[in-house]
Every structure is written in C-alpha cells, then in structure tokens.
Amino acid sequence: MSYRVGLSVLAAFLLGLYILFQIATRPPEAPEHQVFINGQILTMNAENQVVDAMSVRGARIDRVGSTEDILAEVTRETIVTDLRGRTLMPGFVDAHGHFPGSGQVVFSTDLNSPPIGSIENMAQLLARLKSAHEARPDDWLTGFGYDDTLLAEGRHPTREDLDQVSTTRPIAIGHVSGHLYAVNSAALAEMGIDESTPDPEGGVIQRDPNSPDGRRPNGVLEETAARQALLKALDIGLTDGIRMTTYAAREYLQAGVTTASAGGMPLGLAKLLGPLSELNVFPQRVALFPLLEEVEAEVLSGEWRPEVLASGRLSLPRVKIIADGSIQGYTGYLSEPYYQPYKGDVFYRGYPSVSREDLFRQVAGLHRQKVQYAIHVNGDASVDDALDAIEAAQQSQPWPEVRPLFIHAQMSRHDQIQRMADLGITPSFFSSHTYYWGDRHAGIFMGPERAANMSPARWALDAGVRYSSHADTPVTPMLPLQVVWSQVNWITTGGEVLGEHQRVSPVEALRAVTIDAAWQVFLDKDIGSLESGKLADMVVLSGSPLEPSDIRELVVEQTFIGGAEVYSRR
C-alpha cells in the first residue's frame, strides 16, 4: 500500500513539475485583433510608405492605412493602442552578429575600454581579472573585449602579464575584434603550444623576440591559432548556456531586435539554440550561419541537412567562410600595407585565413551543391580573392539563384563595389566601425584616405548594390540605432566627420537594419517590413528616426514578435 502511495505521490510531483515548466516556457500570445492608431508607421515597403494606423490579426498584419479606416474595424474585443505620434516600425533585423555572445558577461569578464567599457591600462585589466579569479574559481578564467590600442601601454597582454593573475589556472581573454586571444602560461601548456609548435595555416602564434631562440610564445594567438582558446572560452555547461542566452535575448529585445544572427557559432552552442528556441527560452528568430570548416565534409559531399539544426525559430540561410581577419587586429588582408607599420614592417599587409586555392575550391563546391554562403572579408585583398573565387565558380558551376553575402567588406574599393554589382553579391557593412574605430583607422591602421571609405554604403547604393548594416555584437553593443546613426552621420568617437561622401539618408539606413537585412537571410517574405500578410515583428520608438535630431537618443518602448508583446518599458 505504501509503495503504491509513494508512486502516486511521485507521479503527482512530476506532473506538477511538467505543468509548471509548460507555464514558465509558454510564449506570449498575440491578441486576436489589435490596432495601432495616430502614429508614424514606417512600413519599409518598396515605396517606403508612411501611414498612421495598422491592423494586426493574431501573428500577422491585416492591413495598414489611415486611423479613420482602421478604427472602422474595431470591435469590443479589439485592443487599441494610441501611439500618440510615436513611431511604429519593423523590428530590427541583426544582419550579422554572434548571438548569444553578448550574454557571455554572465560567466566571463568584460575588459572593454571606453566608450564601451572602463579599462584604460594594464593594471586595471589585471585587477579586473584577479577579482573574477577570486569570485569564480572555475577551470578556465576567461575575459573578452580588451583593446590593445586603447590601453595606455599600447600593447596586448602577454603570458607574463596574465601569469600575475594565476600561474596554475588557464586564462584566455579575447581581443575586442574576436580574432585574437591572449593566454597565460598554464593555458599554453594545456593547449600544447610551445617553442616547437608551428604556426597553423591562416594563423600566427606570436613569439618573444628576446627569448633564446626567438620562438617562445608570448601568449598572443592570432586567427586560426586562437581557435582552440576560443573553444575553451566557450566550453560551458547547460546552465551557463541558458543564462547566456536569456541575458542576450533580453538585451536584444530592449534594443528592438526581433531577429538575431548567430554567425560562425561553434556547433556545440549552435546545437543548443534550437532546443532552447523550442522551449521558448528566447523569443527571437535567429539566422544561424555555421562555420564551413566545421561542416565542410557534409556540405561539399551533398550530405548537408540544415534541418537538423533548424528547429524552433532557427533558420540556416547560409554557411560561413572566414577569409581573413580584423583590421584593428592587424590581421585583415590588404592590397597595400597598413598605415602605421606593424612591428616595424613597412610592407606588412596582413594575411588570409584561408588560402586562395582553398577559397576557390570551397566556393566551387558550394555552387555545385547549391548551398548559399557568406564570406567574411575585411581587407581589400581578401575581397579580391573572394570576388575572383565567385566569378570562377559562376563560370564553372553556373548558379543564377546564388546570392553571395560579404560580411563586413570593410575596406572594399570603388572598383570592387562595381564587381559586386556585376556578380550579384550583397555586402553587410560593419557601419558602427566609423564611430568606434574611425579615429584609429585614420591615424593607425588605414590612414585618412582609406579610412574615409570604410564600409562604403553610398558607393553601394550608387552602384545598385543592396546592402545591410550590423553591429557585430558582442564586438560592439547591440544598438541598432547607433548603427543607423553611424551610416547617416559618419562621425567618430573623437567627433571627427570621417567620410561625409559615404553618408546615406535615414530611410536608407533604416532599410539596412530591417527589410534589406531580412532579404539577406531569405526571410523578407515574412519579416522586415509592415505589410499585409507579414508577421507582426515590430517596435514602438519614443520619437521619429527620420528627424534631424540624434537618432541614438530615441528609446525602444515596446517590442513585438508575431503580434505578441515581448518587451515593454512600462
């Protein structure tokens, strides 16, 4: 009798847990009918139509029109929102980023310098790490966002610096670009990197020139050499994975981002996102770009099954190739040398992460298998290689429907933009670069002339090239209005106008973070504009982004996904 009672109690307990879980993970529901009136509604349709009212039924937009017309549809059950002159527009689409990377702050140490963070010198960086070391005694101590050019010492942390924090616990801290890592002696030992370790293809193990044979690793790892450190830093458990994702999702919703991007997400984390989406741990739609290097065998053999990862609200529109590195990390691949010589080498131009031969082979294989792709290119020499690879693939493996995406395309020349137009290539520019790194691109990396044409949106528009803009979060904060402001103003943190001739209008800049970004991830039939039949992914702003005042001062007051309110400032 007691055994049966025990089983009954256990069954009731488990049933209760299941019910509580279902309640806790139930997504917000859209009303059957809601209308928005008396506002400035930016539809972002083909005509950039602006209306003052909209009707939404369930998850999808019914129609847009005048307040008078829309009010005629209102019944006793209709929810009516009076915008009182505020702006309603499509939710922001993150064209390229690394969701949920900004949530790593829950287990990793933020080492950003102003204007993002507060670290200004090596002593402050090490003190921040020591505090984290004492507070979180985990296997690896990790950090992110340090910028050597913004530290008073003007250099990367070395193994000797990080050994001051711990000589026994592995430490790995990521450069703000995401393309380099600085590690301590314990981390180097655990990764098996020493004097005899050769540089991997597409990467560099920096060495101490003052060591006996000049081969002792100094702790700074570039590009593919940093890959192992990156994987260690992101080798987290389920609990931290959920904490990171919920933190990032909340941050994105507050910024009005309804569709996120997970570009180059390691497969371990990528496999977690689908189930978390199905359980409604986060409400956003996510465009996932797996790294080709992790799925190359399946993709190029024709065995690629993206639907295995694409569950919940995840889609897999492209695979990603990283062809070069970062300009601010001196690893972007240029046709002409860097403005200030790197380590005294006046001929230094950076280097490719993938050889030209391998890039040609990969792109040809993607054309053969009809798999859409994105190529990370920052330096113009890397852009040249990618353009040549695509042109060769189109000649040998014609694919009229291909729509190649260039991620960043930061230092693209005018002639390269025209080639993009001819080949049907669409770039996603890291427009916030002009604000966060514009002064240093002009003074350190590129020089004034080249820096004035970074992320050349005006050239793209004039050539008929459809483009998007992004923040590359967590490289810079998820602030879509900052991305828009940067395209419109081209002003650096130092207050300098960097490239006035590359400015675009507010409407053009807004399209680059809504409908044109949705088009790049093949979701434009459902999101990116407010039109009849589309999903009601939208945001309410405190004012108009079309006005000449500072766009960045506007506030996201509400965020909706599929007609359901998922964030409110109230």
Side-chain angles (χ1 to χ4, degrees), residues 315-378:
S315 62
L316 273 78
R318 303 175 185 274
V319 295
K320 179 182 178 182
I321 300 170
I322 300 177
D324 75 338
S326 160
I327 300 298
Q328 59 266 35
Y330 274 103
T331 59
Y333 183 34
L334 301 171
S335 62
E336 298 293 334
Y338 279 80
Y339 185 62
Q340 285 192 8
Y342 179 62
K343 295 183 177 180
D345 184 354
V346 297
F347 300 108
Y348 179 83
R349 301 187 293 115
Y351 54 88
S353 297
V354 177
S355 70
R356 182 177 168 90
E357 293 74 21
D358 279 346
L359 184 61
F360 272 59
R361 176 184 57 79
Q362 290 171 345
V363 172
L366 291 165
H367 277 241
R368 184 170 58 252
Q369 298 300 337
K370 302 295 188 290
V371 174
Q372 297 281 0
Y373 56 92
I375 307 178
H376 165 116
V377 284
N378 260 317

Coordinates of all heavy atoms in Angstrom, one line a residue, residues 315-378:
S315 N 16.6 29.5 -38.4 CA 16.8 29.1 -39.8 C 18.3 29.1 -40.1 O 19.1 29.7 -39.4 CB 16.1 30.2 -40.7 OG 16.7 31.5 -40.5
L316 N 18.7 28.4 -41.1 CA 20.1 28.2 -41.5 C 20.2 28.7 -43.0 O 20.3 27.9 -43.9 CB 20.6 26.8 -41.4 CG 21.1 26.4 -40.0 CD1 20.0 26.2 -39.0 CD2 22.0 25.2 -40.1
P317 N 20.2 30.0 -43.2 CA 20.2 30.5 -44.5 C 21.5 30.4 -45.3 O 21.6 30.3 -46.5 CB 19.9 32.0 -44.4 CG 20.3 32.3 -43.0 CD 20.1 31.1 -42.2
R318 N 22.6 30.3 -44.5 CA 24.0 30.2 -45.2 C 25.0 29.5 -44.3 O 24.8 29.4 -43.1 CB 24.5 31.7 -45.4 CG 23.6 32.6 -46.2 CD 24.2 34.0 -46.3 NE 23.3 34.9 -47.0 CZ 23.3 35.1 -48.3 NH1 24.1 34.4 -49.0 NH2 22.5 36.0 -48.8
V319 N 26.1 29.1 -44.9 CA 27.2 28.7 -44.2 C 28.3 29.8 -44.3 O 28.1 30.7 -45.2 CB 27.8 27.3 -44.7 CG1 26.9 26.2 -44.4 CG2 28.2 27.4 -46.1
K320 N 29.2 29.8 -43.4 CA 30.1 31.0 -43.3 C 31.6 30.6 -43.5 O 32.0 29.6 -42.9 CB 30.0 31.7 -42.0 CG 30.9 32.9 -41.8 CD 30.7 33.5 -40.4 CE 31.7 34.7 -40.2 NZ 31.5 35.3 -38.8
I321 N 32.3 31.3 -44.4 CA 33.7 31.2 -44.6 C 34.4 32.4 -44.0 O 34.0 33.5 -44.3 CB 34.1 31.0 -46.0 CG1 33.4 29.8 -46.7 CG2 35.6 30.9 -46.2 CD1 33.5 29.7 -48.2
I322 N 35.4 32.2 -43.2 CA 36.2 33.3 -42.7 C 37.5 33.4 -43.5 O 38.4 32.6 -43.4 CB 36.6 33.1 -41.2 CG1 35.3 33.1 -40.3 CG2 37.5 34.3 -40.7 CD1 35.6 32.8 -38.9
A323 N 37.5 34.4 -44.4 CA 38.6 34.5 -45.4 C 39.8 35.3 -44.9 O 40.9 35.1 -45.4 CB 38.1 35.1 -46.7
D324 N 39.6 36.3 -44.0 CA 40.7 37.0 -43.4 C 40.3 37.4 -42.0 O 39.3 36.9 -41.4 CB 41.1 38.2 -44.3 CG 40.2 39.4 -44.2 OD1 39.0 39.2 -43.8 OD2 40.6 40.5 -44.5
G325 N 41.0 38.3 -41.4 CA 40.8 38.7 -40.0 C 40.2 40.1 -39.8 O 39.3 40.5 -40.4
S326 N 40.9 40.8 -38.9 CA 40.4 42.1 -38.4 C 41.4 43.2 -38.7 O 42.6 43.0 -38.5 CB 40.1 42.0 -36.9 OG 40.1 43.3 -36.3
I327 N 40.9 44.3 -39.2 CA 41.8 45.5 -39.4 C 42.4 45.9 -38.1 O 43.6 46.2 -38.1 CB 41.0 46.6 -40.1 CG1 40.4 46.2 -41.5 CG2 41.9 47.8 -40.3 CD1 41.4 45.7 -42.5
Q328 N 41.6 46.1 -37.1 CA 42.1 46.6 -35.8 C 42.9 45.5 -35.1 O 43.6 45.8 -34.1 CB 41.0 47.1 -34.9 CG 39.9 46.1 -34.5 CD 38.7 46.2 -35.5 OE1 38.9 46.4 -36.7 NE2 37.6 46.0 -34.9
G329 N 43.0 44.3 -35.6 CA 43.9 43.3 -35.1 C 45.1 43.1 -35.9 O 45.9 42.2 -35.7
Y330 N 45.2 43.9 -37.0 CA 46.3 43.8 -38.0 C 46.3 42.4 -38.7 O 47.3 42.0 -39.2 CB 47.7 44.0 -37.3 CG 48.1 45.5 -37.2 CD1 48.0 46.1 -36.0 CD2 48.6 46.2 -38.3 CE1 48.4 47.5 -35.8 CE2 49.0 47.5 -38.2 CZ 48.9 48.2 -37.0 OH 49.3 49.5 -36.8
T331 N 45.2 41.8 -38.7 CA 45.1 40.5 -39.4 C 44.2 40.6 -40.7 O 44.0 39.6 -41.4 CB 44.6 39.4 -38.5 OG1 43.3 39.7 -38.0 CG2 45.5 39.2 -37.3
G332 N 43.6 41.7 -40.9 CA 42.8 41.9 -42.2 C 43.8 41.9 -43.3 O 44.9 42.5 -43.2
Y333 N 43.4 41.4 -44.5 CA 44.4 41.1 -45.6 C 44.2 42.3 -46.6 O 43.1 42.4 -47.3 CB 44.1 39.8 -46.2 CG 44.9 39.4 -47.3 CD1 46.3 39.7 -47.4 CD2 44.4 38.6 -48.4 CE1 47.1 39.3 -48.4 CE2 45.2 38.1 -49.4 CZ 46.6 38.5 -49.4 OH 47.3 38.0 -50.5
L334 N 45.2 43.1 -46.7 CA 45.1 44.3 -47.6 C 46.0 44.2 -48.8 O 46.9 43.4 -48.9 CB 45.6 45.5 -46.8 CG 44.9 45.9 -45.5 CD1 45.7 46.9 -44.7 CD2 43.5 46.3 -45.8
S335 N 45.6 45.0 -49.8 CA 46.4 45.1 -51.1 C 47.6 46.0 -50.9 O 48.6 45.9 -51.6 CB 45.6 45.5 -52.2 OG 45.0 46.8 -52.0
E336 N 47.5 47.0 -50.0 CA 48.6 47.9 -49.7 C 48.9 47.8 -48.2 O 48.0 47.5 -47.4 CB 48.2 49.4 -50.1 CG 47.9 49.6 -51.5 CD 49.1 49.4 -52.4 OE1 50.2 49.6 -51.9 OE2 49.0 49.0 -53.6
P337 N 50.1 48.2 -47.8 CA 50.5 48.0 -46.4 C 49.6 48.8 -45.4 O 49.0 49.8 -45.8 CB 52.0 48.5 -46.3 CG 52.4 48.3 -47.7 CD 51.3 48.6 -48.6
Y338 N 49.7 48.4 -44.2 CA 49.0 49.2 -43.1 C 49.6 50.6 -43.0 O 50.8 50.7 -43.3 CB 49.1 48.4 -41.8 CG 48.0 47.3 -41.6 CD1 48.2 46.1 -42.3 CD2 46.9 47.6 -40.9 CE1 47.2 45.1 -42.2 CE2 45.9 46.6 -40.8 CZ 46.1 45.4 -41.4 OH 45.1 44.4 -41.3
Y339 N 48.9 51.5 -42.5 CA 49.3 52.9 -42.5 C 50.5 53.1 -41.5 O 51.5 53.6 -41.9 CB 48.1 53.8 -42.0 CG 48.4 55.3 -42.0 CD1 48.7 56.0 -43.2 CD2 48.3 56.0 -40.9 CE1 49.0 57.3 -43.2 CE2 48.5 57.4 -40.9 CZ 48.8 58.0 -42.0 OH 49.0 59.4 -42.0
Q340 N 50.3 52.6 -40.3 CA 51.4 52.5 -39.3 C 52.0 51.1 -39.4 O 51.3 50.2 -39.1 CB 51.0 52.9 -37.9 CG 50.8 54.4 -37.7 CD 50.6 54.7 -36.2 OE1 50.9 53.9 -35.3 NE2 50.2 55.9 -35.9
P341 N 53.3 50.9 -39.8 CA 53.8 49.6 -40.0 C 53.6 48.7 -38.7 O 53.8 49.2 -37.6 CB 55.3 49.9 -40.2 CG 55.4 51.3 -40.8 CD 54.3 52.0 -40.1
Y342 N 53.3 47.5 -39.0 CA 53.1 46.5 -37.9 C 54.4 45.9 -37.5 O 55.1 45.3 -38.3 CB 52.2 45.4 -38.4 CG 51.9 44.3 -37.4 CD1 51.2 44.6 -36.2 CD2 52.2 43.0 -37.7 CE1 51.0 43.6 -35.3 CE2 51.9 42.0 -36.8 CZ 51.3 42.3 -35.6 OH 51.0 41.3 -34.7
K343 N 54.8 46.1 -36.2 CA 56.1 45.7 -35.7 C 57.3 46.1 -36.6 O 58.2 45.4 -36.8 CB 56.1 44.2 -35.6 CG 55.1 43.6 -34.5 CD 55.2 42.1 -34.4 CE 54.2 41.7 -33.3 NZ 54.2 40.2 -33.1
G344 N 57.1 47.3 -37.1 CA 58.2 47.9 -37.9 C 58.3 47.5 -39.3 O 59.2 47.9 -40.1
D345 N 57.4 46.6 -39.8 CA 57.5 46.0 -41.1 C 56.6 46.9 -42.1 O 55.4 46.9 -42.1 CB 56.9 44.6 -41.1 CG 57.0 43.9 -42.5 OD1 57.4 44.6 -43.5 OD2 56.6 42.7 -42.6
V346 N 57.3 47.7 -42.9 CA 56.6 48.7 -43.7 C 55.9 48.0 -44.9 O 55.1 48.7 -45.6 CB 57.6 49.8 -44.3 CG1 58.2 50.6 -43.2 CG2 58.7 49.1 -45.1
F347 N 56.1 46.7 -45.1 CA 55.5 46.0 -46.2 C 54.3 45.1 -45.7 O 53.7 44.5 -46.5 CB 56.5 45.2 -47.0 CG 57.6 46.0 -47.6 CD1 58.9 45.9 -47.0 CD2 57.4 46.8 -48.7 CE1 59.9 46.6 -47.6 CE2 58.5 47.5 -49.2 CZ 59.7 47.4 -48.7
Y348 N 54.1 45.1 -44.4 CA 53.1 44.2 -43.9 C 51.7 44.5 -44.3 O 51.2 45.7 -44.2 CB 53.2 44.2 -42.3 CG 52.2 43.3 -41.7 CD1 52.4 42.0 -41.5 CD2 50.9 43.8 -41.2 CE1 51.5 41.1 -40.9 CE2 50.0 43.0 -40.6 CZ 50.3 41.6 -40.5 OH 49.4 40.8 -39.9
R349 N 51.0 43.5 -44.8 CA 49.6 43.7 -45.4 C 48.6 42.8 -44.7 O 47.5 42.7 -45.2 CB 49.6 43.5 -46.9 CG 50.5 44.4 -47.7 CD 50.4 44.2 -49.2 NE 50.8 42.9 -49.7 CZ 50.0 42.0 -50.2 NH1 48.7 42.2 -50.3 NH2 50.5 40.8 -50.6
G350 N 49.0 42.1 -43.6 CA 48.1 41.1 -43.1 C 48.1 39.8 -43.9 O 49.1 39.7 -44.7
Y351 N 47.2 39.0 -43.7 CA 47.2 37.7 -44.4 C 45.9 37.0 -44.5 O 45.0 37.4 -43.7 CB 48.2 36.7 -43.7 CG 47.9 36.6 -42.2 CD1 47.0 35.6 -41.7 CD2 48.5 37.4 -41.2 CE1 46.8 35.4 -40.4 CE2 48.2 37.2 -39.9 CZ 47.4 36.2 -39.5 OH 47.1 36.1 -38.1
P352 N 45.7 36.1 -45.4 CA 44.4 35.4 -45.5 C 44.3 34.3 -44.4 O 45.3 33.7 -44.1 CB 44.4 34.8 -46.9 CG 45.8 34.6 -47.2 CD 46.6 35.7 -46.5
S353 N 43.0 34.1 -44.0 CA 42.8 32.9 -43.0 C 42.6 31.6 -43.8 O 42.8 30.6 -43.3 CB 41.6 33.2 -42.2 OG 41.8 34.3 -41.4
V354 N 42.2 31.8 -45.1 CA 42.0 30.6 -46.0 C 42.9 30.9 -47.2 O 42.8 32.0 -47.8 CB 40.5 30.4 -46.4 CG1 40.4 29.3 -47.4 CG2 39.7 30.2 -45.1
S355 N 43.6 30.0 -47.7 CA 44.4 30.2 -48.9 C 43.5 30.5 -50.1 O 42.4 30.0 -50.1 CB 45.3 29.0 -49.2 OG 44.6 27.9 -49.6
R356 N 44.1 31.2 -51.0 CA 43.3 31.5 -52.3 C 42.8 30.2 -52.9 O 41.7 30.1 -53.4 CB 44.2 32.3 -53.2 CG 43.5 32.8 -54.5 CD 44.4 33.6 -55.3 NE 43.9 33.8 -56.7 CZ 43.1 34.8 -57.0 NH1 42.7 35.7 -56.1 NH2 42.7 35.0 -58.3
E357 N 43.7 29.2 -53.0 CA 43.4 27.9 -53.6 C 42.2 27.2 -52.9 O 41.3 26.7 -53.5 CB 44.6 27.0 -53.6 CG 45.7 27.5 -54.5 CD 46.5 28.7 -53.9 OE1 46.4 28.9 -52.7 OE2 47.1 29.4 -54.7
D358 N 42.3 27.2 -51.5 CA 41.2 26.6 -50.8 C 39.9 27.4 -50.9 O 38.8 26.8 -50.9 CB 41.6 26.5 -49.3 CG 42.5 25.3 -49.0 OD1 42.6 24.4 -49.9 OD2 43.1 25.3 -47.9
L359 N 40.0 28.7 -51.0 CA 38.8 29.5 -51.1 C 38.1 29.2 -52.4 O 36.9 29.0 -52.5 CB 39.1 31.0 -51.0 CG 38.0 32.0 -51.1 CD1 37.0 31.7 -49.9 CD2 38.5 33.4 -51.0
F360 N 38.9 29.1 -53.5 CA 38.3 28.8 -54.8 C 37.6 27.4 -54.8 O 36.5 27.2 -55.3 CB 39.4 28.7 -55.9 CG 39.7 30.1 -56.5 CD1 40.0 31.2 -55.8 CD2 39.5 30.2 -57.9 CE1 40.3 32.4 -56.4 CE2 39.7 31.5 -58.5 CZ 40.1 32.6 -57.8
R361 N 38.3 26.4 -54.1 CA 37.8 25.1 -54.0 C 36.4 25.1 -53.2 O 35.5 24.4 -53.6 CB 38.8 24.1 -53.4 CG 38.3 22.7 -53.1 CD 39.3 21.9 -52.4 NE 39.7 22.5 -51.1 CZ 39.0 22.4 -50.0 NH1 37.8 21.8 -50.0 NH2 39.4 23.0 -48.9
Q362 N 36.4 25.8 -52.1 CA 35.2 25.8 -51.3 C 34.1 26.4 -52.0 O 32.9 25.9 -52.0 CB 35.5 26.5 -50.0 CG 36.5 25.7 -49.0 CD 36.9 26.6 -47.8 OE1 36.8 27.8 -47.8 NE2 37.5 25.9 -46.8
V363 N 34.3 27.6 -52.6 CA 33.2 28.3 -53.3 C 32.7 27.5 -54.4 O 31.5 27.4 -54.7 CB 33.7 29.7 -53.7 CG1 32.6 30.4 -54.6 CG2 34.0 30.6 -52.5
A364 N 33.6 26.8 -55.2 CA 33.1 26.0 -56.3 C 32.3 24.8 -55.8 O 31.2 24.5 -56.4 CB 34.3 25.4 -57.1
G365 N 32.7 24.2 -54.6 CA 31.9 23.2 -54.1 C 30.5 23.6 -53.6 O 29.5 22.9 -53.7
L366 N 30.5 24.8 -53.0 CA 29.2 25.4 -52.6 C 28.2 25.6 -53.8 O 27.0 25.4 -53.7 CB 29.4 26.6 -51.8 CG 30.1 26.5 -50.4 CD1 30.6 27.8 -49.9 CD2 29.1 25.8 -49.4
H367 N 28.8 26.1 -54.9 CA 28.0 26.3 -56.1 C 27.5 24.9 -56.6 O 26.3 24.8 -57.0 CB 28.8 27.0 -57.1 CG 28.8 28.5 -57.0 ND1 28.3 29.3 -57.9 CD2 29.2 29.3 -56.0 CE1 28.5 30.6 -57.5 NE2 29.0 30.6 -56.3
R368 N 28.4 23.9 -56.5 CA 28.0 22.6 -57.0 C 26.9 22.0 -56.2 O 25.9 21.4 -56.8 CB 29.2 21.7 -57.0 CG 29.0 20.3 -57.6 CD 30.3 19.5 -57.8 NE 31.0 19.4 -56.5 CZ 32.1 20.0 -56.2 NH1 32.6 20.9 -57.0 NH2 32.7 19.9 -55.0
Q369 N 26.9 22.2 -54.9 CA 25.9 21.7 -54.0 C 24.7 22.6 -53.8 O 23.7 22.3 -53.1 CB 26.5 21.3 -52.7 CG 27.6 20.3 -52.7 CD 27.1 19.0 -53.3 OE1 25.9 18.6 -53.2 NE2 28.0 18.2 -53.8
K370 N 24.7 23.8 -54.4 CA 23.7 24.8 -54.3 C 23.4 25.2 -52.8 O 22.3 25.2 -52.3 CB 22.4 24.3 -54.9 CG 22.5 23.9 -56.4 CD 22.8 25.2 -57.2 CE 22.8 24.9 -58.7 NZ 23.9 24.1 -59.2
V371 N 24.5 25.4 -52.1 CA 24.4 25.9 -50.7 C 24.8 27.3 -50.6 O 25.9 27.7 -51.0 CB 25.3 25.0 -49.8 CG1 25.3 25.6 -48.3 CG2 24.9 23.6 -49.8
Q372 N 23.8 28.2 -50.2 CA 24.1 29.6 -50.0 C 25.2 29.8 -49.0 O 25.3 29.1 -48.0 CB 22.8 30.4 -49.7 CG 21.7 30.3 -50.7 CD 21.9 31.2 -51.9 OE1 22.9 32.0 -51.9 NE2 21.0 31.2 -52.8
Y373 N 26.0 30.9 -49.2 CA 27.1 31.1 -48.3 C 27.4 32.6 -48.0 O 26.9 33.5 -48.7 CB 28.4 30.5 -48.9 CG 28.7 31.0 -50.3 CD1 29.5 32.0 -50.5 CD2 28.1 30.3 -51.4 CE1 29.8 32.5 -51.8 CE2 28.4 30.8 -52.7 CZ 29.2 31.8 -52.9 OH 29.5 32.3 -54.2
A374 N 28.1 32.8 -46.9 CA 28.6 34.2 -46.6 C 30.1 34.1 -46.4 O 30.6 33.1 -45.9 CB 28.0 34.6 -45.3
I375 N 30.8 35.1 -46.9 CA 32.3 35.1 -46.7 C 32.7 36.4 -45.9 O 32.4 37.5 -46.3 CB 33.0 35.1 -48.1 CG1 32.5 34.0 -49.0 CG2 34.5 35.1 -47.9 CD1 33.2 34.0 -50.4
H376 N 33.4 36.1 -44.8 CA 33.9 37.2 -44.0 C 35.1 37.8 -44.7 O 36.1 37.0 -44.9 CB 34.3 36.7 -42.6 CG 35.1 37.6 -41.8 ND1 34.7 38.2 -40.6 CD2 36.4 38.0 -42.0 CE1 35.7 38.9 -40.1 NE2 36.8 38.8 -40.9
V377 N 35.1 39.0 -45.1 CA 36.2 39.7 -45.8 C 36.3 41.1 -45.2 O 35.3 41.9 -45.2 CB 36.0 39.8 -47.3 CG1 36.3 38.4 -47.9 CG2 34.6 40.2 -47.7
N378 N 37.5 41.5 -44.7 CA 37.7 42.8 -44.2 C 38.6 43.7 -45.1 O 38.3 44.8 -45.5 CB 38.2 42.8 -42.7 CG 37.1 43.0 -41.7 OD1 36.3 43.9 -41.9 ND2 37.1 42.2 -40.6

